[in-house]
Amino acid sequence: MKKYFFLLFLFAHPSCDEEKKSSLNNATDITDYNVAVCSTGDDTPVEISVPVLRMTLKASWDENWFASPAVYDLDGDGTMEIIAARHSVLYVWKNTGELLWRAAWSFNADDPEDHGGSRMWPSPVIGDFNGDGFGEIAVGSDADSSSGVNIAVYDHTGQLLSGWPVHFGGSHEVRSITAGDLDLDGIFEIIVNKTSEGPATAVYNLDGTLKAGWPQINHDTCDPIDAEQCWDYGGYNQNIGVADMDGDGFLDVISTYDAIGFGIFHGDGSPFTTDSSFSDKVVTAVEAYHDIALSRQGWGTGDRSEFTYSPPVMADINNDGRIELILAGDHEHSLSTENQGVTLWVLNHDMTRPSGWEWPKDTLPPLTSDNLGQNIVPTRPSPSVGNIVEYEGLEIIFPAYDGRMYAYTADGTRLWSWKFGSSSPYIGASEALITDLNQDGIPEIIFTTFSSGDPREPDTPAHLVILSNKGELIHKVEIFGRGSMASPTIADIDGDGKLEIIISLKDTLGGEYGGVQIWDIDSSRDNCLMWPTQRGNNLRTGYFNQLDHD
């Protein structure tokens, strides 16, 4: 899958060994771990409850990939629905567990088809896209099937919107999808990144037509100065995001690639330019060398990163008034595509690096496993952002290939790491959620693990894990089968003021039961939902807005 292997070695550059070593720094001596950093609940803080399974929702045999479930009031009646994309079926249940409707991929809910021919890898994207007061659902799939399409948008009743589904990019898979109002006209656009050859990124109007300026990249016009080659090879995780990166009031598109670079684009498709110190004039032409001197130069021999499985996360992590880009990339070298682990990056939109991130941060080498089992893939390095300690700025949480969950501060200091993984049997972990579970204003870290093995026959038990903000284990509760590669979702589904944890398991329980479960956590309230679902929100933008949490 690594298509870009370039021997860029016109001359060697100093190794910067001391800077590399410092990227594996020891944990900080921060002591203010137990200070409330978000709103406290109405009640006196209590001990964090052990999650208790309430119910498994009725469904078919469809397995899950990386689609986190969603909780949203689709029909505007004041009560929440639960939405999940499992393999080739989109499900919507009432918050009581009753099935409202199900739609096979590329069909309407009232069509006779029971299953589609394509899997839906990414989380469903949900919001009121057209301002009609009801929720719409956008999903991406694999076009290499009888349907021949890979993007669809449904209304709240399970009917395909006019103009959908559509096909983007050959027989390639749309694993990355989000939505946003790029031109501020009150109507959302659907934004995707697909696998394999480019152009990898596209923006669609809500009527299913391509927005002017897309898809990207056009190599003839990519660089406004030299028309140089730009990185553009599709992503293999949820590699798309939207945020206002330059503060002009309009959302921008961030797309990461199976290549040594990524793209940042304005809503009209024009690329972001780099700082004048870079020889490459646009962001999507810059090679991600760990040594910024090589990145500025544009070539050389040294460590660098690919962003094959790297969901972009955007936040003002250091309180400087500007949004930074957070990426967990694959650590490689210009002379070898051997994966050396995960490298955590924080970048400004012009490719300069904030203080503390002059050199990105490395983890240990990946776990290895000869056999993961049917349809299990290794951990994806998906960052989450929130405020977990009383320290300047925000913190970054991410699972790495080495089987550890990491926490870093805004200035690049490692707070802690917690070991979740093993090689044999293989144990991986989902993206982490950040939410207070006992009303004290101090968030906890919540994620699921998953195991190698065959369907319903895990090699080792999988778990729902709750860590403290210090990275200490609070609860580790066994979950069914091989667990979940997708992060849970945390929300108050029934309006009782308490949060529930919704998990979309890899396997189904069988019989009349599927793989979506509701877990109660009695100690919780909705006072502090910092990162409550995959990609941070139901639109799956990857953007953390501190104003929403003040």
Side-chain angles (χ1 to χ4, degrees):
M1 190 158 53
K2 308 293 187 188
K3 301 296 184 183
Y4 290 95
F5 174 38
F6 295 90
L7 301 181
L8 303 177
F9 52 89
L10 296 184
F11 66 81
H13 190 276
S15 64
C16 301
D17 287 338
E18 292 306 311
E19 286 188 272
K20 283 187 65 178
K21 291 177 183 177
S22 71
S23 72
L24 289 170
N25 55 339
N26 294 322
T28 178
D29 59 359
I30 292 171
T31 57
D32 292 333
Y33 274 99
N34 294 321
V35 176
V37 295
C38 57
S39 299
T40 56
D42 295 332
D43 301 326
T44 302
V46 296
E47 185 177 349
I48 296 171
S49 302
V50 177
V52 175
L53 177 62
R54 179 192 298 184
M55 69 171 69
T56 302
L57 303 180
K58 293 183 178 180
S60 188
W61 47 260
D62 311 277
E63 65 180 334
N64 188 35
W65 288 87
F66 279 84
S68 180
V71 175
Y72 193 93
D73 180 7
L74 288 173
D75 54 13
D77 67 352
T79 61
M80 295 294 183
E81 283 77 45
I82 299 169
I83 304 101
R86 291 185 61 84
H87 197 71
S88 68
V89 180
L90 179 63
Y91 291 93
V92 176
W93 296 271
K94 293 182 179 180
N95 59 14
T96 59
E98 177 187 348
L99 182 66
L100 267 178
W101 54 264
R102 54 177 287 168
W105 167 254
S106 77
F107 295 101
N108 294 303
D110 56 6
D111 287 337
E113 284 75 12
D114 190 56
H115 287 82
S118 299
R119 70 177 176 188
M120 291 178 281
W121 175 289
S123 300
V125 174
I126 304 169
D128 183 0
F129 300 159
N130 56 12
D132 65 353
F134 300 110
E136 286 78 42
I137 306 170
V139 283
S141 185
D142 185 351
D144 188 16
S145 70
S146 58
S147 72
V149 290
N150 53 12
I151 314 168
V153 181
Y154 288 87
D155 70 12
H156 69 283
T157 68
Q159 301 299 300
L160 288 160
L161 263 60
S162 177
W164 301 93
V166 299
H167 170 228
F168 173 49
S171 61
H172 305 146
E173 186 172 13
V174 169
R175 293 189 182 181
S176 312
I177 185 167
T178 185
D181 183 2
L182 300 184
D183 48 18
L184 301 182
D185 67 350
I187 305 297
F188 281 44
E189 284 77 37
I190 308 301
I191 305 122
V192 300
N193 169 303
K194 69 167 185 62
T195 60
S196 200
E197 293 87 355
T201 313
V203 176
Y204 285 86
N205 298 310
L206 199 55
D207 62 4
T209 60
L210 279 165
K211 187 173 179 63
W214 299 89
Q216 284 291 345
I217 293 190
N218 181 337
H219 287 293
D220 293 331
T221 59
C222 179
D223 188 308
I225 305 299
D226 302 319
E228 62 192 325
Q229 181 82 5
C230 290
W231 305 118
D232 181 39
Y233 195 87
Y236 286 80
N237 195 10
Q238 303 194 55
N239 292 41
I240 198 77
V242 290
D244 180 6
M245 295 299 294
D246 55 3
D248 67 353
F250 290 86
L251 293 175
D252 307 302
V253 176
I254 303 92
S255 188
T256 55
Y257 308 134
D258 182 16
I260 52 174
F262 54 87
I264 307 177
F265 305 96
H266 298 285
D268 63 2
S270 59
F272 267 53
T273 56
T274 57
D275 180 77
S276 60
S277 62
F278 287 82
S279 61
D280 295 311
K281 303 306 179 185
V282 291
V283 168
T284 194
V286 176
E287 297 176 14
Y289 284 102
H290 296 189
D291 183 350
I292 193 170
L294 294 182
S295 278
R296 285 181 169 136
Q297 178 177 272
W299 49 273
T301 302
D303 292 317
R304 62 190 190 187
S305 290
E306 289 195 356
F307 301 100
T308 309
Y309 307 111
S310 304
V313 169
M314 294 71 64
D316 179 6
I317 69 164
N318 55 12
N319 295 331
D320 67 350
R322 299 185 301 177
I323 295 175
E324 288 80 37
L325 173 63
I326 300 104
L327 294 172
D330 290 7
H331 181 175
E332 298 179 354
H333 193 276
S334 56
L335 301 181
S336 171
T337 58
E338 180 182 357
N339 191 327
Q340 301 177 40
V342 171
T343 300
L344 183 65
W345 297 75
V346 175
L347 297 156
N348 298 317
H349 67 72
D350 61 0
M351 295 303 290
T352 58
R353 304 178 187 182
S355 177
W357 298 94
E358 293 85 358
W359 197 277
K361 317 303 177 185
D362 289 323
T363 68
L364 297 172
L367 300 174
T368 58
S369 181
D370 293 332
N371 183 16
L372 297 181
Q374 182 178 322
N375 293 343
I376 295 289
V377 300
T379 296
R380 298 307 194 224
S382 304
S384 311
V385 168
N387 191 10
I388 66 171
V389 294
E390 185 62 24
Y391 193 69
E392 183 66 25
L394 302 172
E395 285 72 53
I396 304 165
I397 315 291
F398 68 99
Y401 301 139
D402 63 6
R404 305 192 75 88
M405 188 71 69
Y406 286 88
Y408 275 83
T409 65
D411 64 7
T413 303
R414 196 180 80 197
L415 270 177
W416 49 259
S417 70
W418 188 83
K419 188 174 187 294
F420 62 78
S422 66
S423 294
S424 184
Y426 185 82
I427 301 173
S430 74
E431 178 182 315
L433 308 182
I434 306 172
T435 298
D436 178 16
L437 297 178
N438 67 338
Q439 311 159 64
D440 65 356
I442 303 172
E444 281 71 48
I445 314 302
I446 305 99
F447 59 94
T448 51
T449 65
F450 57 92
S451 167
S452 56
D454 294 325
R456 303 182 197 166
E457 297 179 2
D459 292 337
T460 191
H463 295 90
L464 172 63
V465 179
I466 300 175
L467 303 180
S468 75
N469 65 332
K470 299 180 182 180
E472 301 167 332
L473 180 64
I474 298 173
H475 294 306
K476 186 178 180 182
V477 180
E478 186 172 341
I479 55 179
F480 178 79
R482 295 175 293 169
S484 178
M485 298 189 296
S487 61
T489 289
I490 297 180
D492 179 6
I493 67 171
D494 48 18
D496 66 353
K498 299 178 182 180
L499 299 174
E500 287 76 35
I501 301 175
I502 302 92
I503 302 175
S504 188
L505 299 164
K506 176 61 179 175
D507 301 325
T508 61
L509 271 66
E512 64 180 356
Y513 293 101
V516 176
Q517 297 184 325
I518 301 171
W519 291 70
D520 293 315
I521 185 155
D522 193 61
S523 60
S524 65
R525 300 293 184 272
D526 61 357
N527 56 294
C528 181
L529 290 162
M530 285 199 171
W531 196 273
T533 189
Q534 196 168 62
R535 308 291 290 127
N537 50 65
N538 282 327
L539 290 173
R540 317 298 180 182
T541 62
Y543 172 53
F544 179 89
N545 186 352
Q546 181 64 58
L547 295 177
D548 293 338
H549 304 280
D550 291 337

